[in-house]
Amino acid sequence: MNPSRALTPSPRTLDIESVAHFDRLLSSGAATMHGWHAQSLDLRGRRADLQRLDPQGAIFLGCTFDDGVEDSLRSRGALIFPKLRGVPFNPYRGRLYSAAELYEDIDSTEYEATLDAQVYQWSIMPGQRTSLDATLAAALHDHAIGAALDELLGNGDFAGNTIVGVMGGHAAQRGTTDFDDAALLGRLLALSGFTVATGGGPGAMEAANLGAYLSGLRDADFAVALQSLASVPGFRPSVTAWARAAAAVVGHYPSGTTSLGIPTWFYGHEPPNLFATHIAKYFANSMREAILLELCNGGIVFLPGSAGTVQEIFMDACENFYGAPETVTPMVLVGRDHWENKYPAWPMLQSLAAGKVMERRIFLVDSVEEALAVVAD
């Protein structure tokens, strides 16, 4: 099953995106709320309308009602998911995250006090991964993120865009050639009209999102931004210092080019980067990886990496190996020595692709400029 399509509402459902949308439906003269899905809405002050309409088949997730209305709706056939106590996130959220939300007040507080860190700490509490309340909250959250991502791709900022994925190691340090190359790739892709998508973490992922975000700058200003980040090379030993350096760049250039990051709290020790303008952060890593591969309709560029990047190469190869001809997208591996000798994924990829449609869609190059030429062709 396609994970992203699995989250798409059926034609019989109506996702209510805001209180204003709900009020428009009320004023339309509807007699029933069958198929209405309301999520995280404050519906106080609408007692008369909610009692007038037939709620059979309606679903309310984490909504707020006047006293007594919730019991009335439930008794007449509505399905109501209550707010979950002791959970540091909204499992019914209706939008993706932003770096400003995950790193709120990072300029004046430590990383450990941010929403991102608090959610990770909640997720690894003893017994949390087997607790019914916790697993339900995480599953509802990931469903909500998937629905928000579908909306972004279908009718939102990224609708109709050609999305190119950039995969690479989290260990690439700011100020190194590997980091600068990944940043240049993100910049070149964005300047060529592509939307950049990454795993949303540090290293090469941060660099690619950074390159896309600052793609509107002159070359000299772009180089200055890279240099300023290099003062804090990585997220160890201090995520706080690492994030503050990035926040300073974002603060200096607050209106960057949009890009997507899809990180996971499963790898909570790897913080999300601050340069992806839209962050779809999941608890379930398997869902996150499958969706990231699925949405890259313009292909994926694999920069030098280790175990995680190798895994992503062969996950993508599996999709292309079994996929219909029209679904096969380019796979571009950057770094001949890396992928032929250090981690010889290229020979295996060639063997898998032999005689398949994907054989004409796999490439081994030595530079990010060559990688751009491949996906732009």
Side-chain angles (χ1 to χ4, degrees):
M1 179 179 290
N2 180 327
S4 61
R5 292 191 184 123
L7 300 176
T8 303
S10 71
R12 291 181 155 186
T13 64
L14 177 61
D15 287 330
I16 302 173
E17 301 166 358
S18 64
V19 171
H21 186 191
F22 192 85
D23 288 342
R24 288 196 300 272
L25 293 171
L26 293 178
S27 65
S28 69
T32 176
M33 292 185 284
H34 181 80
W36 291 16
H37 289 184
Q39 187 165 308
S40 296
L41 300 184
D42 185 346
L43 299 178
R44 289 174 294 185
R46 294 160 180 80
R47 179 191 301 272
D49 287 311
L50 289 169
Q51 291 179 337
R52 171 179 59 84
L53 294 171
D54 178 7
Q56 183 74 35
I59 300 177
F60 297 91
L61 300 99
C63 294
T64 305
F65 305 96
D66 292 315
D67 291 343
V69 171
E70 182 176 328
D71 290 338
S72 171
L73 291 170
R74 186 180 285 112
S75 68
R76 291 184 291 132
L79 181 61
I80 299 179
F81 287 81
K83 293 182 178 179
L84 300 177
R85 305 301 176 190
V87 177
F89 57 89
N90 178 7
Y92 310 116
R93 62 181 296 116
R95 66 187 189 282
L96 299 185
Y97 291 100
S98 66
E101 182 179 4
L102 291 174
Y103 287 98
E104 186 175 6
D105 295 328
I106 190 63
D107 290 336
S108 56
T109 62
E110 297 296 308
Y111 169 70
E112 288 74 15
T114 65
L115 175 62
D116 186 68
Q118 290 175 3
V119 175
Y120 176 57
Q121 289 302 316
W122 172 88
S123 74
I124 60 173
M125 289 173 58
Q128 202 76 307
R129 296 192 187 277
T130 57
S131 161
L132 177 60
D133 287 352
T135 53
L136 176 61
L140 288 169
H141 170 276
D142 284 1
H143 172 87
I145 290 295
L149 185 56
D150 276 353
E151 178 65 23
L152 182 75
L153 298 172
N155 303 301
D157 292 349
F158 295 164
N161 291 15
T162 299
I163 300 174
V164 175
V166 178
M167 312 293 183
H170 71 270
Q173 298 278 288
R174 296 166 174 171
T176 65
T177 299
D178 284 348
F179 189 92
D180 290 352
D181 283 348
L184 177 59
L185 176 62
R187 176 176 173 82
L188 293 174
L189 287 169
L191 288 172
S192 298
F194 298 110
T195 294
V196 172
T198 78
M205 295 171 281
E206 179 191 39
N209 285 128
L210 163 70
Y213 183 81
L214 298 181
S215 58
L217 296 185
R218 297 178 305 167
D219 289 348
D221 293 332
F222 184 67
V224 169
L226 284 175
Q227 186 176 6
S228 71
L229 280 177
S231 62
V232 184
F235 63 93
R236 294 188 179 100
S238 171
V239 176
T240 301
W242 175 84
R244 285 177 178 172
V249 173
V250 172
H252 195 67
Y253 303 105
S255 302
T257 300
T258 56
S259 70
L260 179 63
I262 308 185
T264 173
W265 276 293
F266 184 79
Y267 296 135
H269 59 287
E270 296 181 12
N273 76 71
L274 286 79
F275 296 107
T277 57
H278 298 71
I279 301 174
K281 190 155 189 177
Y282 288 86
F283 288 99
N285 184 51
S286 58
M287 179 182 291
R288 161 252 190 179
E289 287 182 333
I291 289 175
L292 177 56
L293 293 173
E294 174 69 22
L295 62 85
C296 293
N297 55 3
I300 298 177
V301 179
F302 298 93
L303 297 170
S306 55
T309 310
V310 171
Q311 178 186 5
E312 289 160 347
I313 288 172
F314 288 105
M315 286 179 65
D316 194 29
C318 187
E319 295 287 329
N320 284 332
F321 185 90
Y322 291 110
E326 62 273 14
T327 68
V328 178
T329 54
M331 299 178 64
V332 188
L333 279 60
V334 180
R336 290 182 182 275
D337 181 63
H338 188 88
W339 295 121
E340 286 185 320
N341 299 311
K342 185 174 183 179
Y343 297 112
W346 177 249
M348 176 66 79
L349 187 59
Q350 283 184 303
S351 298
L352 278 176
K356 298 285 186 179
V357 172
M358 65 179 289
E359 186 174 23
R360 302 189 300 275
R361 306 285 178 85
I362 63 171
F363 305 88
L364 179 64
V365 300
D366 264 327
S367 70
V368 295
E369 291 88 352
E370 291 176 277
L372 173 69
V374 169
V375 297
D377 185 2

